[in-house]
Amino acid sequence: MRIGFEAKRVFHNNTGLGNYGRDVIRILKKFTPIDQFYLYTTSVSSQKRFDSFDKIVIKLPESGIWKKLSSIWRLGPVANQIKKDEINLYHGLSGEIPSGLKSRGIPTIVTVHDLIFFSHPHYYSFFDRIIYSIKSKHAAKNANKIIAISEQTKRDVIKYLKAEDSKIEVVYQGCNKAFKQEYPQSEKDKVREKYSLPEQYILNVGTLQERKNALLIVKAIKGTDYNLVLVGGEKKYAQKIHSYIRENNLENQVSFLKNVSVNELAVIYKMATIFCYPSLCEGFGIPIIEALFSKTPVITSQGNCFPEAGGPNSVYIDPSSEEALREAFSKLYYNADERKRIADLGYTYVQRFSDEEVAKNLFKVYKSML
């Protein structure tokens, strides 16, 4: 069985979509009988992306013109190489597929992560909305199957892309194996010292952008002695956070971390007192899964996809209410017994997103196509 994958982001995206693609390939290699994984990409990153390249075949543009115009190659001309490679099934991992696969008789699946550019268009530029809209509509129309990463995303696919319910399968994501490992105290001490982490802290992970809503956390700790650690890159929205911190003399309570390795991040999760994720909209919310696997209690937003990721025992708040978040913090920050209770129940719940379960559900969709 030869499965082809759109793999540009697998090699060149260090976060969300790249992590999803790498994890899909890793767990399918480990838990399914797929013989070969053909990864179609414009170029290969210098960073180590897989522990082993066993069963992996990397496919780059073959002809001279497409080597120079590789960004165009991946949108359509790549279909000729996919046909020549006798691929049994092609999987677009990040909401898009090249043109020409349907006419060549190649069964195709596309994973749709979110349609926030439709549901919350104000978070995107006009140009980005147009590009994402064209790609997603083409993929939904021409793919034989659509994988939605949550029930919320499935509802959005039906609403915005007009896809038939029967064409969509919900297959939840997992997360990197680093968050499922245990780490010795020496490793924790090393990370704590490297990043000057306090003994207790609230953790938030994700790019500092408006829809992630991290400023709410900063406002909620004003007037308390809570510590906050923000891990992620910074968009323009981060300027609001820095300004608020300066104006309210919170510099000693808030830390900003960037370029953290995945293993260091896993340790930071495990040492956190609370993980707080008051995002306004997501496709699923992988950081919530990472926290639950790390046995760290979660506070997140009501509604949207968040209860799917967080389960029945995480704490849910109105993401527009500083008071609601401050109250949730007050119930957990110094209450170790309650934190442990929530964390233990969350760890039981999150096993449904284990590597084995995700691989089984993905492969079930693949088999239905072959």
Side-chain angles (χ1 to χ4, degrees):
M1 185 187 299
R2 296 182 176 190
I3 309 295
F5 296 89
E6 176 274 310
K8 177 184 176 182
R9 290 175 179 82
V10 167
F11 288 101
H12 297 288
N13 188 317
N14 292 324
T15 55
L17 295 181
N19 287 336
Y20 173 78
R22 289 185 289 273
D23 270 349
V24 164
I25 293 161
R26 175 180 63 83
I27 65 177
L28 289 176
K29 277 179 61 184
K30 183 173 182 180
F31 296 107
T32 73
I34 295 173
D35 302 304
Q36 290 184 304
F37 297 76
Y38 279 66
L39 308 188
Y40 294 87
T41 180
T42 53
S43 61
V44 178
S45 169
S46 60
Q47 297 186 48
K48 183 180 179 182
R49 295 307 192 187
F50 299 100
D51 293 335
S52 166
F53 280 85
D54 176 49
K55 298 184 179 182
I56 291 177
V57 180
I58 298 174
K59 303 296 291 187
L60 301 169
E62 290 179 340
S63 67
I65 185 172
W66 295 127
K67 289 178 181 177
K68 294 180 180 179
L69 302 173
S70 59
S71 293
I72 297 176
W73 167 81
R74 62 184 290 271
L75 300 179
V78 65
N80 290 324
Q81 285 184 222
I82 295 170
K83 180 68 173 178
K84 188 173 71 172
D85 292 333
E86 299 181 343
I87 295 301
N88 301 114
L89 175 68
Y90 183 86
H91 186 171
L93 293 167
S94 52
E96 60 185 77
I97 58 173
S99 299
L101 296 181
K102 191 173 185 179
S103 63
R104 289 169 175 79
I106 300 169
T108 307
I109 296 172
V110 65
T111 294
V112 177
H113 297 265
D114 66 68
L115 294 173
I116 296 172
F117 50 91
F118 281 122
S119 62
H120 297 74
H122 54 285
Y123 292 135
Y124 295 83
S125 70
F126 174 78
F127 181 75
D128 282 345
R129 293 201 306 270
I130 295 297
I131 295 299
Y132 297 155
S133 174
I134 291 171
K135 288 183 175 181
S136 62
K137 287 179 179 178
H138 171 266
K141 180 180 178 180
N142 290 281
N144 299 93
K145 277 283 186 183
I146 299 169
I147 289 176
I149 63 166
S150 67
E151 293 290 347
Q152 175 64 51
T153 296
K154 179 178 178 177
R155 290 191 290 270
D156 286 345
V157 169
I158 293 170
K159 179 178 180 179
Y160 296 110
L161 301 182
K162 311 304 180 186
E164 294 293 328
D165 181 284
S166 59
K167 190 176 182 177
I168 309 167
E169 299 288 345
V170 174
V171 179
Y172 290 116
Q173 295 178 250
C175 67
N176 192 288
K177 61 182 180 180
F179 301 98
K180 303 163 189 174
Q181 298 173 191
E182 294 298 327
Y183 295 87
Q185 187 60 46
S186 59
E187 183 70 13
K188 293 178 180 179
D189 292 342
K190 182 179 177 182
V191 172
R192 191 182 296 277
E193 181 178 2
K194 178 177 178 179
Y195 293 106
S196 301
L197 298 174
E199 281 300 314
Q200 285 194 229
Y201 57 89
I202 298 160
L203 176 66
N204 173 265
V205 176
T207 303
L208 297 179
Q209 55 185 307
E210 187 177 357
R211 70 180 176 86
K212 301 288 188 180
N213 200 28
L215 180 56
L216 182 78
I217 313 175
V218 180
K219 290 180 176 180
I221 69 168
K222 179 184 175 183
T224 74
D225 60 355
Y226 306 154
N227 296 299
L228 171 62
V229 175
L230 300 171
V231 182
E234 298 187 10
K235 299 288 187 179
K236 187 177 180 180
Y237 169 79
Q239 296 172 12
K240 295 182 181 179
I241 299 175
H242 287 289
S243 294
Y244 187 89
I245 289 170
R246 286 193 301 270
E247 292 166 4
N248 292 277
N249 301 312
L250 294 170
E251 290 90 346
N252 292 331
Q253 289 177 247
V254 185
S255 303
F256 294 83
L257 307 184
K258 302 183 186 68
N259 302 315
V260 176
S261 73
V262 67
N263 286 89
E264 289 175 333
L265 181 59
V267 173
I268 292 169
Y269 266 108
K270 290 179 183 295
M271 293 192 298
T273 306
I274 298 166
F275 178 73
C276 184
Y277 199 67
S279 179
L280 300 174
C281 55
E282 298 288 338
F284 183 49
I286 287 300
I288 296 173
I289 301 300
E290 294 169 347
L292 295 180
F293 271 116
S294 302
K295 298 181 181 179
T296 300
V298 170
I299 299 173
T300 189
S301 303
Q302 297 169 343
N304 199 267
C305 62
F306 303 108
E308 292 184 67
N313 297 290
S314 292
V315 177
Y316 297 95
I317 54 99
D318 176 353
S320 67
S321 173
E322 295 171 39
E323 188 57 40
L325 183 55
R326 189 176 293 114
E327 183 178 344
F329 286 155
S330 70
K331 291 178 179 178
L332 291 180
Y333 198 81
Y334 291 119
N335 189 339
D337 290 341
E338 181 63 6
R339 293 200 310 271
K340 184 178 187 306
R341 186 187 73 82
I342 291 174
D344 288 345
L345 291 169
Y347 186 72
T348 299
Y349 173 81
V350 82
Q351 299 312 308
R352 68 190 60 202
F353 308 119
S354 68
D355 288 351
E356 295 92 332
E357 193 68 16
V358 175
K360 180 186 75 175
N361 291 329
L362 278 171
F363 193 61
K364 183 179 179 181
V365 178
Y366 286 13
K367 285 194 298 182
S368 74
M369 300 278 294
L370 298 173

